Amino acid sequence: MDDLAATNRTDGGKGAADASAAPGTDGGPMPGGRAQPKTDKSEATRALILETAMRLFQERGYEKTTMRAIATEAGVSVGNAYYYFSAKEFLIQGFYDRMTHDHAADARRRMAHTRDFSERLQIALISWLDTAAPYHEFAAQFFRTAADPTSSLSPFSNESHPARATAVELFRDVLQGSDLAPKLDAELVELLPDVLWLNLMVVVLYWVFDRTEDTERTREFVRRSTPMAARLINLSRYRVFRPIVRDAKGLIQDFILPTIGKTAVK
């Protein structure tokens, strides 16, 4: 456990005192023990802590970076750092949140002028690789924590719902903004964004272990697999494939979607 973690999480501890005294820190907790900023100043402080942590993770590694070091580099008290992120691992959740929003904005900008579903899907996946590229060197350290199915930092957890919802909504836009969506079964259109997000998780797993220059092997995997996935989805609109589509929808509804946390833990 990081230094002072236990102290800062107890009633009346230094963290509680600092939090109550800090100007502009009147927000309630976010999922996973993160404070929800309510003012521009508190949002700026939270962003500064997160950006400092990301820099130190890159320079020193995740395991060797303490909350005290992050607070010192950011110029805030240790208690204030714990107010916004109740433990070091929740900085990873903050990283997920920020990167997911950056990815969604970048992908929407890139695919604004095409309606071809395959192209839109590939753009969204490549955009994720580009957005995540600066963090690839220490991604494996994050993955060790996130890979634990009982961890609140798992991408499938309830606590990860905000970032996951942002990503699923992006894939909804990938589909709905394409020329394919009007041709598909309405129920399948409703399920596909979650399935496309799961496809992104496969790409992320491959990316974590990819040691080729500029993760070129992952990029080639996306370039070759995306048209194939698009063709399979396109085939679902033909009557001869309807029984298979119904079976696939049943599997998704009964076995895949129930494993994904749907609401954020209060």
Side-chain angles (χ1 to χ4, degrees):
M1 180 180 294
D2 279 309
D3 45 11
L4 299 183
T7 301
N8 286 321
R9 280 198 290 268
T10 57
D11 291 339
K14 187 176 185 297
D18 282 356
S20 61
T25 52
D26 55 345
M30 290 175 68
R34 295 165 289 154
Q36 173 65 63
K38 290 293 183 67
T39 69
D40 290 344
K41 184 174 181 179
S42 58
E43 175 59 41
T45 301
R46 183 179 184 276
L48 174 62
I49 293 168
L50 182 58
E51 288 165 8
T52 302
M54 293 301 104
R55 176 171 58 80
L56 292 182
F57 291 161
Q58 287 178 297
E59 294 174 357
R60 307 178 185 182
Y62 175 75
E63 298 296 338
K64 294 181 180 179
T65 301
T66 65
M67 287 291 281
R68 179 178 290 278
I70 293 167
T72 299
E73 286 285 324
V76 302
S77 70
V78 177
N80 226 11
Y82 276 111
Y83 174 76
Y84 287 102
F85 300 94
S86 64
K88 187 175 73 172
E89 58 265 29
F90 290 113
L91 285 158
I92 302 177
Q93 194 65 266
F95 162 72
Y96 288 161
D97 293 343
R98 188 178 71 176
M99 202 184 80
T100 300
H101 280 89
D102 290 347
H103 165 227
D106 180 69
R108 288 188 172 101
R109 177 182 58 79
R110 294 190 191 193
M111 66 183 183
H113 302 295
T114 180
R115 295 196 66 228
D116 181 81
F117 172 71
S118 180
E119 290 182 19
R120 290 172 67 86
L121 180 56
Q122 182 169 311
I123 286 170
L125 295 175
I126 294 295
S127 170
W128 189 93
L129 296 176
D130 290 341
T131 304
Y135 310 103
H136 184 254
E137 288 303 313
F138 59 95
Q141 299 176 59
F142 288 172
F143 179 74
R144 283 199 297 271
T145 303
D148 181 355
T150 65
S151 171
S152 62
L153 300 181
S154 164
F156 297 91
S157 70
N158 285 331
E159 290 84 354
S160 293
H161 173 73
R164 186 173 57 250
T166 299
V168 169
E169 191 60 30
L170 168 63
F171 287 110
R172 191 178 307 281
D173 287 352
V174 168
L175 180 61
Q176 295 285 11
S178 75
D179 52 8
L180 180 60
K183 305 172 185 177
L184 297 178
D185 177 86
E187 190 175 356
L188 183 60
V189 168
E190 183 61 29
L191 292 175
L192 271 176
D194 285 292
V195 176
L196 295 175
W197 174 78
L198 289 170
N199 178 61
L200 173 62
M201 292 300 97
V202 173
V203 172
V204 171
L205 179 61
Y206 197 94
W207 173 83
V208 166
F209 294 99
D210 185 357
R211 289 296 175 261
T212 59
E213 187 174 355
D214 195 29
T215 58
E216 181 55 36
R217 193 167 181 83
T218 306
R219 294 172 184 275
E220 182 62 19
F221 174 75
V222 169
R223 285 191 289 266
R224 291 176 58 179
S225 64
T226 302
M228 181 171 59
R231 284 195 295 270
L232 287 173
I233 294 171
N234 186 50
L235 285 173
S236 71
R237 63 195 179 96
Y238 295 106
R239 182 169 299 178
V240 67
F241 293 105
R242 288 296 172 84
I244 298 175
V245 172
R246 283 195 296 270
D247 288 344
K249 287 193 296 187
L251 286 171
I252 293 167
Q253 290 172 320
D254 295 342
F255 293 98
I256 296 178
L257 295 185
T259 67
I260 302 175
K262 288 294 184 183
T263 57
V265 171
K266 300 296 184 184

